Amino acid sequence: MHHALPLIATIAAAFGLALVLGFAAARMRLPALVGYLVAGIAIGPATPGFVADLDMASQLAEIGVMLLMFGVGLHFSLQDLLSVRRIALPGAIVQMLAATAMGAGMAASWGWSLPAAIVFGLALSVASTVVLLKALESKGIVESVNGRIAIGWLVVEDLAMVIVLVLLPPLAGMAAPGAARLGADLWMALGRTMLEVVAFVALMLVVGRRAFPWLLWQVTRTGSRELFTLCVVAAAVTIAYGSAQLFGVSFALGAFFAGMVLRESRFSHRAAEETLPLRDAFAVLFFVSVGMLFDPRVLVDEPLRVAAVVAIIVLGKSVAAAGLVLLLRYPLNTAITVAASLAQIGEFSFILAGLGTSLGVLPAQGQSLILAGALISIALNPLVFAASEPALRWIRARSALARKLDRSDDPLAELPTTTETRFLRNQVVVVGYGRVGSAIGAALKARGIPFVVAEENREIVERLRDDGQAAVLGNAAEPATLIQAHVADARMLVIATPQTVAVRQTVQTARTLNPDVQVVVRSHNVEEAAMLEREQAGKVFVGEQELANAMTRHVLAAVGDEAPNG
């Protein structure tokens, strides 16, 4: 018998202990990932007893990151990414600068050198995509406007960190002999990195969008389920690894773009479903591996510094992000969601801390503090997300300033006085103008039926207004938004957003303003639709059910035409 089986031992210990402690955490009404983190600490090198293979666990966690980001890409189109660029790009860059300044300032006050302080601050500035996605999925808002903004924000952060990781080695050598030559090396490294990233994105969008859906179709034609699953997983892992080796981008970014290009296939939803169990299993290994990196002694040796690091991550960075979102004239609920999304750090922080330590730039204590801040902030993040909605309601109820921020003097939050009267009476109010909403809008426009769009994405509202379409910026769950859309005079309210959290409030507000308005709602699943119909939310359409109904009608019509007369 072979007794030295580190891979099997690591997987068995990680999954087994994560199950026990995750279940215990859930019974104590804590997020299950807290149990996963504690499981990692228990089998890590800092605690007595069995010690799992840390390198093996880290590599398994990387597979989890790849599969998770690949799944996000399957639901996230290039248009979704571009639609949030005006908030995600400046917001992520300025927020990273602000968080870096806070972290560097604190490290400098401890007597650290300037390079060490900057690396420390950068490690605190970037959030974990894995943690964010688990939080968004738990709330069911991955495909909402706020979810797309948060994901786009972190994609920009990931791109920025790719550049930082490439530039850190030449920057670290600037103080060494021959530094004059390193200045030229620095610019060469920056130029090469930018060219590689651009080449990777171009290759994926030009070649990948045609090649990978075609490959998936060829595999599907074999009728083999296991080959289909293998093709999806192989595409995710191979593209992620190849992009890292050839173009220097991270595994996560490579897998994300792989999912985006495979989204062009008609089998993208099936691909997402087939990989879901693997994604969930390997995501658990990610959190276990984070726990394995943590040394609890830092909590005893440096409790005040750990508390200061956590304060910057959970409070300082989040407040800075929320302020930026509000300055960019997005509503308060978007600011709260983005702030909660960024109240943690993760995989890129570990990579940067390890690189900084190996280059002699960051002291070993800095790496310990970063890991402590990551573990505590990851454990707190589900609680922060859970508290965000009650906090938002509390702020709105007690703060006139909050209500003003939600409905500021933003010109997009009100219909212009020059709006044609045909949009203001007997119109259809369409809430959400994504893939479903825009298809409904196109059909209404083709029939000459007037409609008003209520949308939370500034870029979409601006584009619609440029095209002469009546549109108002805001959350339809807020009465002011529906009032601006003139729902009191509308014939129908169509809720086309994938986020159904605020559907009941939206319908209730609409019917208060217009008791006769007809309501049509988009839903995710049959159970949710049944609940909404019981509450008389209106006519509810479920995607899968409507597809089945359409296919059934076609089959019955075709068979009926050919059926023998009886």
Side-chain angles (χ1 to χ4, degrees):
M1 286 289 291
H2 294 283
H3 298 287
L5 299 171
L7 176 61
I8 295 177
T10 298
I11 293 177
F15 280 150
L17 201 55
L19 172 62
V20 172
L21 295 179
F23 178 76
R27 292 299 299 268
M28 292 186 290
R29 299 185 181 277
L30 292 172
L33 68 83
V34 174
Y36 307 154
L37 293 169
V38 176
I41 296 174
I43 62 174
T47 53
F50 172 78
V51 177
D53 191 311
L54 181 58
D55 291 335
M56 197 77 70
S58 298
Q59 291 185 48
L60 292 171
E62 283 288 1
I63 297 175
V65 172
M66 294 180 202
L67 293 175
L68 195 65
M69 290 301 293
F70 178 76
V72 174
L74 285 171
H75 296 288
F76 204 88
S77 67
L78 179 63
Q79 288 72 26
D80 291 335
L81 192 59
L82 294 177
S83 69
V84 298
R85 68 188 184 282
R86 291 179 59 181
I87 179 175
L89 184 60
I93 293 174
V94 176
Q95 174 262 313
M96 287 184 70
L97 292 173
T100 300
M102 286 186 281
M106 183 173 65
S109 69
W110 297 337
W112 293 11
S113 66
L114 182 60
I118 292 175
V119 171
F120 184 75
L122 281 169
L124 302 186
S125 71
V126 58
S128 167
T129 308
V130 177
V131 178
L132 166 69
L133 293 176
K134 297 300 287 184
L136 294 179
E137 286 175 352
S138 68
K139 293 191 69 176
I141 59 173
V142 172
E143 296 184 43
S144 68
V145 173
N146 291 344
R148 290 199 299 270
I149 289 173
I151 292 171
W153 193 297
L154 260 68
V155 168
V156 174
E157 284 192 351
D158 288 354
L159 287 169
M161 287 305 295
V162 169
I163 296 173
V164 169
L165 291 172
V166 171
L167 295 182
L168 185 58
L171 282 173
M174 292 293 284
R181 173 61 186 163
L182 287 172
D185 292 341
L186 179 65
W187 286 107
M188 289 180 62
L190 177 60
R192 185 173 61 252
T193 301
M194 296 301 294
L195 287 174
E196 287 176 342
V197 170
V198 170
F200 165 69
V201 174
L203 181 66
M204 295 299 292
L205 296 181
V206 175
V207 178
R209 292 178 78 174
R210 293 172 174 81
F212 300 133
W214 176 86
L215 175 62
L216 194 60
W217 166 243
Q218 298 304 315
V219 172
T220 303
R221 292 175 62 185
T222 66
S224 171
R225 180 177 178 180
E226 59 267 26
L227 276 179
F228 180 87
T229 305
L230 179 61
C231 179
V232 173
V233 175
V237 176
T238 305
I239 294 172
Y241 178 77
S243 61
Q245 294 298 312
L246 298 176
F247 299 100
V249 303
S250 67
F251 292 136
L253 276 177
F256 175 75
F257 277 98
M260 282 183 61
V261 298
L262 277 179
R263 184 181 178 277
E264 303 297 324
S265 167
R266 71 186 73 177
F267 301 103
S268 60
H269 289 289
R270 180 185 169 190
E273 291 176 0
E274 295 285 351
T275 57
L276 183 60
L278 278 174
R279 282 186 278 147
D280 286 342
F282 279 99
V284 170
L285 289 176
F286 168 79
F287 293 110
V288 172
S289 71
V290 172
M292 291 176 65
L293 293 169
F294 181 64
D295 186 351
R297 287 177 296 183
V298 71
L299 300 176
V300 178
D301 298 338
E302 300 287 351
L304 295 179
R305 292 191 177 185
V306 170
V309 169
V310 173
I312 288 178
I313 297 169
V314 177
L315 296 177
K317 188 167 66 165
S318 298
V319 169
L324 285 168
V325 173
L326 294 174
L327 284 175
L328 292 169
R329 310 191 81 167
Y330 274 77
L332 185 62
N333 70 84
T334 301
I336 295 292
T337 300
V338 172
S341 301
L342 300 176
Q344 37 80 16
I345 59 174
E347 55 271 17
F348 266 115
S349 303
F350 310 149
I351 296 170
L352 182 61
L355 180 60
T357 303
S358 66
L359 293 171
V361 176
L362 186 70
Q365 184 191 51
Q367 187 174 26
S368 298
L369 290 172
I370 290 168
L371 291 172
L375 185 135
I376 295 172
S377 64
I378 288 172
L380 291 176
N381 196 244
L383 303 177
V384 173
F385 255 101
S388 61
E389 195 66 30
L392 181 60
R393 290 196 297 267
W394 186 87
I395 293 171
R396 283 172 171 165
R398 290 167 174 78
S399 173
L401 176 60
R403 291 190 291 272
K404 184 178 179 182
L405 288 172
D406 258 345
R407 300 299 305 172
S408 63
D409 57 352
D410 192 336
L412 295 182
E414 300 179 357
L415 286 179
T417 56
T418 56
T419 301
E420 298 178 38
T421 55
R422 65 189 180 92
F423 291 117
L424 308 179
R425 187 170 296 278
N426 278 335
Q427 82 281 18
V428 176
V429 176
V430 180
V431 176
Y433 212 68
R435 290 183 291 274
V436 175
S438 58
I440 294 171
L444 292 172
K445 186 177 293 185
R447 294 286 188 92
I449 301 173
F451 64 98
V452 178
V453 176
E455 170 62 58
E456 293 184 88
N457 190 311
R458 292 187 64 87
E459 286 75 11
I460 291 177
V461 174
E462 290 174 349
R463 175 169 51 81
L464 287 170
R465 290 201 179 182
D466 289 341
D467 293 339
Q469 172 60 49
V472 60
L473 176 69
N475 183 354
E478 297 297 317
T481 302
L482 291 180
I483 290 172
Q484 282 299 318
H486 288 250
V487 76
D489 300 311
R491 70 171 85 172
M492 181 176 289
L493 173 69
V494 179
I495 303 178
T497 60
Q499 182 182 3
T500 56
V501 177
V503 165
R504 282 173 287 180
Q505 185 178 348
T506 302
V507 173
Q508 182 180 359
T509 301
R511 287 195 167 139
T512 300
L513 296 170
N514 184 352
D516 298 325
V517 69
Q518 299 179 58
V519 179
V520 177
V521 180
R522 170 190 176 186
S523 181
H524 283 292
N525 55 63
V526 176
E527 293 79 8
E528 184 181 66
M531 180 191 70
L532 292 171
E533 287 184 338
R534 283 196 303 269
E535 296 178 358
Q536 298 182 340
K539 179 61 178 176
V540 183
F541 289 88
V542 183
E544 292 81 0
Q545 185 177 4
E546 293 308 313
L547 176 61
N549 291 341
M551 293 178 69
T552 301
R553 287 193 297 269
H554 176 79
V555 169
L556 292 177
V559 172
D561 291 340
E562 299 175 5
N565 295 325

